[in-house]
Amino acid sequence: MNMELSPSVKYWLNFFHPVLMWALLLFSLYAAYLGLQVQRTRHAQGEQKKELIKGKYNVKHYQIGSIILGLMVAGAIGGMAVTYINDGKLFFGPHLLAGLGMTSIIAFSASLSPFMQKGADWARVTHIVLNFALLGLFTWQAITGVQIVQRLLTQHS
């Protein structure tokens, strides 16, 4: 049984990945804010620390980070799948390579959680550095992704 998607479905599938990734970029910025609040809480003292603890930034950071991890991996695989469905191949280039790098970075960063929960400062520092590198790559990915979307829109008109 050979099932072929209609041309309009194939076309509109192109936009699921970029919309998801832009949403994840915004969530990632929020996760970075939460992470900074976790650091503030960790280093605060007295009443300030008691007040910051009420924000439960550590729980929120962990939860949103987990959601971002799952959706980023699924979104990366989905983006490659849609490209393959539509073109019969993947386009080897900076956007693909950076996306694969981002997927690896976020997985490695998340894998540090058990060590951070046990108080390992090396894991915390590594997690922070990896996530700021991830945000940089993610921002660049968003820009190159817009260029790809513009090309798709131009080809369709």
Side-chain angles (χ1 to χ4, degrees):
M1 178 174 157
N2 188 5
M3 190 170 92
E4 183 71 26
L5 296 173
S6 74
S8 71
V9 169
K10 286 173 105 175
Y11 175 73
W12 288 106
L13 277 175
N14 284 311
F15 301 102
F16 181 77
H17 172 77
V19 168
L20 174 63
M21 289 299 148
W22 272 95
L24 286 178
L25 177 57
L26 295 176
F27 284 136
S28 295
L29 292 170
Y30 179 60
Y33 163 78
L34 292 172
L36 291 171
Q37 296 308 311
V38 170
Q39 283 296 97
R40 277 188 62 213
T41 304
R42 185 177 311 325
H43 298 294
Q45 298 193 2
E47 287 302 313
Q48 182 189 25
K49 186 165 189 144
K50 286 180 186 175
E51 199 58 37
L52 286 168
I53 287 172
K54 291 178 187 176
K56 296 185 180 180
Y57 298 116
N58 59 336
V59 173
K60 292 174 186 174
H61 180 71
Y62 186 83
Q63 290 172 337
I64 197 162
S66 296
I67 292 167
I68 292 167
L69 169 65
L71 290 176
M72 184 181 289
V73 171
I77 292 168
M80 290 184 287
V82 168
T83 300
Y84 191 80
I85 287 168
N86 285 333
D87 301 304
K89 65 179 180 177
L90 295 179
F91 295 98
F92 185 79
H95 190 80
L96 175 64
L97 292 175
L100 292 171
M102 288 169 52
T103 305
S104 299
I105 289 171
I106 197 169
F108 186 66
S109 180
S111 76
L112 296 169
S113 291
F115 301 102
M116 290 185 291
Q117 290 170 347
K118 291 185 178 179
D121 283 334
W122 67 266
R124 194 167 285 117
V125 169
T126 304
H127 177 81
I128 292 167
V129 169
L130 286 171
N131 285 341
F132 274 102
L134 178 65
L135 276 176
L137 263 179
F138 210 161
T139 302
W140 181 77
Q141 273 300 86
I143 293 165
T144 62
V146 167
Q147 294 167 348
I148 292 168
V149 168
Q150 287 173 331
R151 199 166 45 242
L152 288 169
L153 291 170
T154 304
Q155 290 171 354
H156 188 68
S157 13

